[in-house]
Structure formats: structure tokens, C-alpha cells
Amino acid sequence: MKRIKIDRSKCIGCLTCVSACLVSHDSADSRNRVVLSSDFKFSPIFCRNCDLPECVYTCMSGAMRKDSETGYVTYDKNKCASCYMCIMACPYGTLKEDKATKKEIMKCDMCSHDPDGPQCVAKCPMAAITLEEVK
Ligand code: SF4
Ligand code: SF4
């Protein structure tokens, strides 16, 4: 499977990755973000599709699921109870609720609808986020 790899040293905080995510999902909420870390460096925050995903372990409704074929963690909003357990459990702070209804969880789906793959990666002008093959 491919995972998103982040090189903080290359990030200039332009937020092109955030815009690309909004456009790709035709959404008012992004599934990624860029924060300023305690050492005043831009720090892109993205889902890591963990091998041991706390969001899946804590999701009681089965909305978060680890796909054994692709290795990605998927989210099914139809099963979601909006309890926010996944948001609280994610050790990387990547998840958040949607602004409008506060019922849907904004979870990276690797732009699975787009044959060109994750648009944050495709559009980053600094190659600060790239795809790497992992086993
Ligand atoms: S597009 Fe690239 S350089 Fe710009 S904020 Fe995102 S990760 Fe950083
Ligand atoms: S949402 Fe958080 S815990 Fe779940 S796979 Fe992504 S990084 Fe891991």
C-alpha cells in the first residue's frame, strides 16, 4: 500500500494541500490541515492509515474499518453514531467533525474517487507530501 509521507522541512505553509482537499471532495471541510508546531515550523497533519488504528478500535458502530486488502482505514458515514470516540482516540489529531452538521467525521480517503490519487500530494508545490510504498 501507499502511504502519505510528510517532510516538514519542505513545507512553506501555503495551504495548497488543504485547498486541494476541499476541491477534491467538493466540501467545506478539509481532511487534512497544517499547524504551527511548538518550534514554529509548519507541520502538515495527515491521516497515517495506521497499522494499529486507534480510531477503528474505539469505533463502536463499525463506521471506521481497516480494509485488509488496501490497508487503508475507511469511514462509512451511514454507520457513524457521531460519538467522536475516533476523534478523541486518534494519537495524531487528524480527525475532526464537519462544521455544518457536526455529525460526519472528516477522514482522509486518499482521494479514492480520483484516478490521479491524493490531490494534496499532486498539488503540493514543494513536494513536502509524497506517496511512499510501504509493506
Ligand atoms: S501544499 Fe505542501 S508546502 Fe503547502 S502547506 Fe501543504 S504540505 Fe506545506
Ligand atoms: S485517523 Fe488517526 S488513528 Fe485512525 S488511521 Fe488515521 S492517523 Fe491512525
Side-chain angles (χ1 to χ4, degrees), residues 47-50 53-55 73 90-92 94-95:
C47 174
R48 301 174 184 218
N49 286 290
C50 306
E54 295 292 340
C55 60
V73 171
C90 172
Y92 303 107
T94 66
L95 298 174

Side-chain angles (χ1 to χ4, degrees), residues 2-134:
K2 285 196 166 83
R3 273 208 184 115
I4 290 175
K5 184 179 168 198
I6 298 165
D7 184 345
R8 271 201 330 162
S9 66
K10 290 184 178 171
C11 179
I12 57 172
C14 66
L15 304 184
T16 304
C17 53
V18 175
S19 304
C21 183
L22 296 175
V23 172
S24 179
H25 295 90
D26 191 19
S27 169
D29 301 281
S30 68
R31 280 122 173 106
N32 55 19
R33 59 203 160 91
V34 178
V35 299
L36 209 48
S37 60
S38 54
D39 55 356
F40 300 105
K41 300 234 166 72
F42 292 113
S43 188
I45 309 282
F46 288 74
C47 174
R48 301 174 184 218
N49 286 290
C50 306
D51 291 332
L52 302 171
E54 295 292 340
C55 60
V56 174
Y57 300 151
T58 54
C59 178
M60 306 293 272
S61 68
M64 289 284 178
R65 198 175 70 82
K66 178 87 169 164
D67 188 313
S68 55
E69 274 185 28
T70 64
Y72 296 136
V73 171
T74 61
Y75 167 69
D76 181 349
K77 70 177 173 188
N78 295 316
K79 290 185 179 166
C80 181
S82 309
C83 66
Y84 296 179
M85 285 302 290
C86 57
I87 294 178
M88 291 186 276
C90 172
Y92 303 107
T94 66
L95 298 174
K96 62 189 177 204
E97 74 280 16
D98 76 294
K99 283 192 218 102
T101 71
K102 304 201 181 307
K103 294 202 160 146
E104 188 178 343
I105 306 302
M106 295 295 105
K107 162 75 178 74
C108 170
D109 58 4
M110 298 294 277
C111 290
S112 54
H113 53 277
D114 191 328
D116 292 332
Q119 288 303 292
C120 52
V121 172
K123 298 289 188 327
C124 176
M126 304 303 292
I129 36 180
T130 50
L131 283 180
E132 68 168 351
E133 190 70 42
V134 291

